[in-house]
Each structure stands twice: as C-alpha cells, then as structure tokens.
Amino acid sequence: MADPQADKAATTADETVKAARVTVRILEQLATHDEMGVTELARETGMNKARAFRYLRTLVALGYAIQFEGSERYARGPKMQALARVIGQSAEEGVVDLARPVLQRLHETFDHTFNLSLVYGDSVTIVETLPGRGLVGIVVQVNQQLPLHSTAAGKLLLADRLERSGDLPCGELERFTPHTILDREALRRDIEDVVRKGWADAPEEVVLGINAVSVPIHDHRGELVAMLTAMDSIQFITREPSQTLVETLRDAAAEVSAALTV
C-alpha cells in the first residue's frame, strides 16, 4: 500500500526544488537586466503572471528586488547589490580559476608558452603563465602592464575600444623592434583587421624572433575581461599562424566565456 505520509513528503520536496529553481531563475534575470516587468519575468521563467508576482513580492520583502513606485517594473535590490560587491571583490580570481584548467590543457596539447591576461580598465596585464616545453623556452613577467600597440593581447583591447568608440587611444607609440607599428594609420588598419578576424597576433613587434596569438574572453555582459595567448619563437608560431592553433585557442576562450555567462 502507498504511504500517504511518504507521498506527501515527496510532493513537498518536489515543490521545494521547483520553487528554488524558479527563485534562482528570477534572480538570474534581475542580475542580467537593469529592470524587468512582471510579464517579461513570467515569460522568461515559464510561469503565469500571478505566480511571478508572488515570487517577486517575496524577493522584495527579503531585499533582493525592488519595485519601482507606481509601476510593475522590478530591479536588483540592496541585498543583491551587496552580494554583487562581495563577488566583485574576487571576480578576477574567478576568471583565473575558470581559465586555469583550460590553460593547462592548451599547454599539454602544444609546446608553446601560454598566458592568461586580465583587463584592468584601459590596460592589460599577464596574471598567469605556463612556460613552453621546447628546448629554448620563453619566460614572461607577470603583473606588469603590456604595451597595447605591440602585443597580441594589447591589440585585442584596442580592437574592443575601436568597436565601442570608433577611435584608438592617443599617446606616443613606443618602438621595441624594427617591426613595431608606429604609424597611427597603419595601426588602425591592423586593429581593424583584428576586429574582423576576432583574434590578434604581433610577429616580432615587441621582441625580435617572438610571435604571439591572442583570443578574447568575454563575461556575461559581453565585456572583454581577459585574453588567452600562445607565444613562441617565430619558427614555431609563424607570421601566418596555423589555423589549428587559432581555432583551438578560440574554442578554449569560448569555453571560459561560457563559464562566465549567467
């Protein structure tokens, strides 16, 4: 015979799990939108408007949502804002933690040096590196800003800024090698090519004999937050990098970007 108490307990447990899933889904929607209406939230979470309203009223009471006065529009509440600030304090570490196993896998697949760089405002810094496994390895310094116009990772930031503002930052372009691009029109053409391709390289532009290929990592807002880079002698990463390397890097960056997406 069926146990009514057991059936009731199982039903209650199922309802609790469903309620938790719906609550998390609403929080995800509020976290990724400046504001949303009850109808939008109901549609995105697959429930009717009345039920969505009940969940929202509970979240408002708990401080995780706010309702705009005189409307049916809702936004992130003070408790969610506080939670975001706490998470934001370790956001950089989060990117590194997510990218580290991907970086390790790349390092096991190819003999090149692999770097992870993070975007800090209008600068780029290498924060993690795995040296190449060739007879002659490349060692890079971490926690130092990269020149933007002559490094593959730096060019990705310039490409992002060009797409957003239609212009490139002003300032003197420092020469590192005879191949460093110093002419601003030539640099613009090079960065426009980066925008078109979706990846960047910098053959012998900062160190003679060295080439690098970089791909971008974006967060849930589509913001450029980091770059994966392969570096090696130009003998091994030629002026026309292999499609296999480029595509493998792009797949790896897409994997990290997906992990950063709510």
Side-chain angles (χ1 to χ4, degrees):
M1 291 181 60
D3 185 346
Q5 293 293 339
D7 289 344
K8 183 178 179 180
T11 300
T12 301
D14 287 343
E15 290 174 350
T16 301
V17 171
K18 289 177 183 177
R21 286 175 177 166
V22 171
T23 302
V24 170
R25 186 63 182 143
I26 291 174
L27 291 173
E28 288 176 345
Q29 291 298 313
L30 292 174
T32 53
H33 294 81
D34 290 335
E35 61 178 79
M36 293 188 78
V38 180
T39 302
E40 294 171 84
L41 278 163
R43 182 177 63 249
E44 292 295 330
T45 52
M47 55 183 166
N48 62 48
K49 189 175 176 180
R51 189 175 178 215
F53 179 76
R54 289 197 297 273
Y55 274 91
L56 284 165
R57 294 312 302 159
T58 300
L59 290 173
V60 168
L62 293 173
Y64 284 94
I66 58 170
Q67 181 180 8
F68 293 110
E69 189 174 353
S71 78
E72 290 189 342
R73 307 293 293 177
Y74 291 80
R76 295 179 289 272
K79 285 214 176 160
M80 191 183 291
Q81 300 282 11
L83 184 61
R85 283 195 295 273
V86 172
I87 294 171
Q89 291 173 357
S90 59
E92 294 161 6
E93 289 83 355
V95 175
V96 174
D97 287 343
L98 288 170
R100 188 172 284 132
V102 177
L103 204 65
Q104 184 65 48
R105 196 166 66 242
L106 289 168
H107 190 250
E108 292 169 357
T109 304
F110 299 91
D111 291 335
H112 313 311
T113 293
F114 286 93
N115 306 321
L116 173 70
S117 301
L118 294 184
V119 176
Y120 297 95
D122 289 323
S123 66
V124 176
T125 300
I126 296 174
V127 296
E128 193 97 349
T129 183
L130 293 175
R133 294 179 291 142
L135 182 62
V136 179
I138 297 173
V139 178
V140 299
Q141 292 185 334
V142 298
N143 301 321
Q144 287 197 355
Q145 289 187 18
L146 298 175
L148 301 184
H149 67 294
S150 58
T151 61
K155 287 182 182 182
L156 286 177
L157 181 58
L158 290 181
D160 180 77
R161 299 303 185 257
L162 183 64
E163 278 196 290
R164 292 177 183 275
S165 68
D167 209 348
L168 295 174
C170 299
E172 185 178 352
L173 301 177
E174 183 178 354
R175 180 185 295 277
F176 295 97
T177 77
H179 302 285
T180 304
I181 300 174
L182 301 179
D183 179 76
R184 287 205 164 270
E185 284 307 311
L187 179 62
R188 173 178 281 274
R189 290 193 297 272
D190 190 52
I191 300 304
E192 287 173 348
D193 189 49
V194 171
V195 172
R196 179 184 58 79
K197 296 186 301 186
W199 57 273
D201 59 355
E204 299 191 284
E205 292 179 31
V206 74
V207 177
L208 285 174
I210 302 298
N211 194 10
V213 177
S214 275
V215 293
I217 294 172
H218 297 91
D219 67 7
H220 67 280
R221 302 162 299 174
E223 298 282 344
L224 177 67
V225 293
M227 301 87 167
L228 285 176
T229 303
M231 293 180 64
D232 211 327
S233 161
I234 201 159
Q235 175 183 352
F236 301 114
I237 299 181
T238 59
R239 288 184 173 273
E240 293 292 333
S242 77
Q243 199 63 29
T244 299
L245 175 61
V246 171
E247 290 305 319
T248 304
L249 279 170
R250 296 183 76 167
D251 288 345
E255 181 180 338
V256 181
S257 294
L260 292 170
T261 301
V262 175

